[in-house]
């Protein structure tokens, strides 16, 4: 039996408390050995709750020989710096999205990880849920005929005014925070040849970052994708695939809780069939995928880079 991957956490963000640290703690293949913060009180509080020992400062954690891999839930603008530092220190990395603020730096970090024989993985959890592979199989098997188009949306209600996602200096904005999910869904189902046809990024009143957006994409074969996202909307987490003879709908697509029963709506012939799947914990599945990558010394990188290029293309089209 393999030894657990020893995890150090760089930063004490809310997502770490709500999702990732409890999942690391519950996984027999991982062990939390250190928690770093710029606040000694916060590091001590997190370490006491989840295990490991508190560390004052991120660089100090990277010096610890007992840390095999780090989890980085810092604000988006800080990912690039600390991912590179972790790789330079010989640590495997699981980082919140996006890895960097542009495709050039994302590619550099992925190349660095490959050259060092280290796993670098972006924490996009929904792609590890078997729901989406089940949908891909239905499409591949011709359940809705020839695929014609995709629509995907991820919108959430307004955040507190002090939330970092409203702060441009910390990498805030709707595109990288929530828009990334439906864009990744388009990549997941339509493949690598996606081209941005047009894009709109809109700032809400008084905001310094975009709070909503829409993107139109197409494949070389003419399949289209319409993407909607926003930070100040009623909640929606959904995608639909239209084919020549039917349609597939999926709700709660991107952030379902572990006990949620996924339902694939299959619409054809004037009727609707519901395909119910077993609940699945996509947080635990993501950690399992990371452990596998750590033990292999590499993580899949192609879709991460394609996603970064799409984000760049959307910004350019909306400028």
């Amino acid at each position: 039996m393999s030894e657990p991957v020893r995890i150090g956490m760089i930063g004490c963000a809310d997502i770490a408390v709500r999702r990732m640290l409890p999942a690391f703690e519950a996984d027999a293949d991982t062990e939390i050995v250190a928690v770093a913060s710029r606040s000694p009180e916060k590091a001590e509080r997190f370490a006491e709750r989840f295990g490991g020992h508190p560390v004052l400062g991120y660089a100090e954690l990277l010096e610890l020989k007992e840390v095999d891999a780090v989890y980085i839930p810092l604000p988006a603008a800080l990912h690039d710096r600390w991912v590179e530092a972790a790789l330079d220190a010989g640590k495997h990395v699981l980082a919140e999205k996006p890895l960097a603020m542009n495709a050039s730096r994302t590619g550099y970090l992925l190349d660095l990880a490959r050259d060092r024989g280290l796993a670098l993985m972006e924490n996009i959890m929904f792609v590890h849920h078997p729901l989406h592979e089940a949908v891909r199989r239905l499409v591949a098997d011709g359940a809705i005929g020839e695929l014609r188009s995709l629509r995907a949306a991820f919108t959430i209600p307004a955040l507190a005014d002090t939330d970092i996602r409203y702060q441009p200096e910390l990498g805030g904005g709707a595109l990288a925070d929530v828009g990334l999910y439906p864009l990744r869904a388009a990549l997941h189902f339509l493949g690598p040849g996606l081209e941005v046809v047009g894009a709109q990024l809109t700032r809400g009143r008084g905001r310094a970052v975009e709070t909503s957006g829409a993107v139109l994409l197409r494949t070389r074969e003419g399949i289209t994708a319409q993407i909607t996202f926003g930070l100040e909307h009623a909640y929606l987490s959904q995608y639909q695939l239209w084919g020549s003879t039917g349609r597939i709908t999926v709700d709660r697509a991107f952030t379902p809780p572990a006990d949620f029963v996924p339902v694939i709506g299959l619409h054809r012939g004037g009727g609707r069939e519901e395909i119910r799947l077993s609940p699945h914990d996509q947080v635990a599945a993501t950690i399992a995928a990371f452990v596998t990558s750590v033990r292999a010394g590499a993580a899949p990188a192609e879709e991460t880079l394609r996603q970064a290029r799409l984000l760049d293309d959307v910004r350019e089209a909306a400028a």
Side-chain angles (χ1 to χ4, degrees), residues 23-152:
F24 280 126
E25 185 182 30
D27 194 312
D29 287 321
T30 60
E31 177 188 359
I32 302 167
V33 297
V35 177
S37 175
R38 293 173 297 178
S39 160
E41 295 80 15
K42 185 176 287 188
E44 289 169 6
R45 187 169 67 249
F46 275 54
E48 182 178 347
R49 179 175 173 183
F50 296 107
H53 60 270
V55 178
L56 181 61
Y58 306 151
E60 287 72 15
L61 183 142
L62 295 178
E63 294 177 358
L64 299 178
K65 293 182 180 179
E66 64 266 32
V67 172
D68 301 315
V70 296
Y71 166 57
I72 302 177
L74 297 169
L78 302 180
H79 293 172
D80 186 336
R81 172 188 173 186
W82 289 107
V83 168
E84 183 174 8
L87 294 172
D88 282 340
K91 312 299 185 185
H92 305 277
V93 179
L94 174 64
E96 285 303 321
K97 42 77 179 165
L99 285 185
M101 299 310 295
N102 57 62
S104 176
R105 284 294 298 174
T106 300
Y108 171 80
L109 295 173
L110 293 168
D111 287 345
L112 181 62
R114 182 200 61 215
D115 293 344
R116 299 284 172 86
L118 297 168
L120 171 57
M121 194 168 120
E122 190 177 42
N123 195 23
I124 308 292
M125 291 187 278
F126 84 92
V127 298
H128 301 286
H129 198 299
L131 162 66
H132 312 294
E133 185 56 36
V135 171
R136 276 212 286 211
R137 287 197 301 270
L138 284 170
V139 174
D141 291 343
I144 57 172
E146 293 184 12
L147 186 59
R148 301 286 194 238
S149 65
L150 173 147
R151 286 185 184 174

Side-chain angles (χ1 to χ4, degrees), residues 1-295:
M1 182 177 178
S2 299
E3 292 294 318
V5 175
R6 298 171 298 177
I7 303 293
M9 189 177 80
I10 293 181
C12 297
D14 180 61
I15 188 173
V17 181
R18 289 187 295 106
R19 292 193 166 194
M20 299 304 295
L21 283 177
F24 280 126
E25 185 182 30
D27 194 312
D29 287 321
T30 60
E31 177 188 359
I32 302 167
V33 297
V35 177
S37 175
R38 293 173 297 178
S39 160
E41 295 80 15
K42 185 176 287 188
E44 289 169 6
R45 187 169 67 249
F46 275 54
E48 182 178 347
R49 179 175 173 183
F50 296 107
H53 60 270
V55 178
L56 181 61
Y58 306 151
E60 287 72 15
L61 183 142
L62 295 178
E63 294 177 358
L64 299 178
K65 293 182 180 179
E66 64 266 32
V67 172
D68 301 315
V70 296
Y71 166 57
I72 302 177
L74 297 169
L78 302 180
H79 293 172
D80 186 336
R81 172 188 173 186
W82 289 107
V83 168
E84 183 174 8
L87 294 172
D88 282 340
K91 312 299 185 185
H92 305 277
V93 179
L94 174 64
E96 285 303 321
K97 42 77 179 165
L99 285 185
M101 299 310 295
N102 57 62
S104 176
R105 284 294 298 174
T106 300
Y108 171 80
L109 295 173
L110 293 168
D111 287 345
L112 181 62
R114 182 200 61 215
D115 293 344
R116 299 284 172 86
L118 297 168
L120 171 57
M121 194 168 120
E122 190 177 42
N123 195 23
I124 308 292
M125 291 187 278
F126 84 92
V127 298
H128 301 286
H129 198 299
L131 162 66
H132 312 294
E133 185 56 36
V135 171
R136 276 212 286 211
R137 287 197 301 270
L138 284 170
V139 174
D141 291 343
I144 57 172
E146 293 184 12
L147 186 59
R148 301 286 194 238
S149 65
L150 173 147
R151 286 185 184 174
F154 192 24
T155 59
I156 62 174
L159 307 162
D161 288 342
T162 55
D163 195 283
I164 62 172
R165 285 168 285 186
Y166 289 138
Q167 299 178 35
E169 67 276 13
L170 294 179
L175 176 61
D177 189 68
V178 290
L180 181 150
Y181 290 91
L183 281 171
R184 185 61 172 264
L187 272 176
H188 197 68
F189 292 110
L190 303 183
L194 280 174
E195 172 190 352
V196 175
V197 177
Q200 174 70 41
L201 298 177
T202 303
R203 290 185 184 182
R205 184 175 301 175
R207 300 300 185 194
V209 298
E210 80 279 356
T211 54
S212 65
V215 184
L216 177 63
L217 308 104
R218 67 183 175 198
T219 69
R220 298 183 187 95
E221 297 76 24
I223 301 171
T224 58
Q226 299 174 58
I227 305 301
T228 304
F229 51 92
L231 294 175
E232 298 180 338
H233 298 59
Y235 178 83
L236 183 63
S237 176
Q238 178 191 83
Y239 63 76
Q240 302 186 48
L241 295 160
W242 273 265
S244 57
T245 61
R247 181 168 55 96
I248 288 171
T249 58
V250 174
D251 291 316
R252 297 296 296 271
F254 303 120
T255 57
D259 60 355
F260 180 72
V261 177
V263 178
I264 300 172
L266 183 55
H267 308 253
R268 53 187 179 181
R272 182 180 189 272
E273 175 188 352
E274 287 191 350
I275 302 172
R276 293 180 174 268
L277 306 179
S278 298
H280 192 80
D281 186 344
Q282 67 182 30
V283 183
T286 300
I287 289 175
F290 180 59
V291 168
T292 297
S293 295
V294 167
R295 290 175 176 163

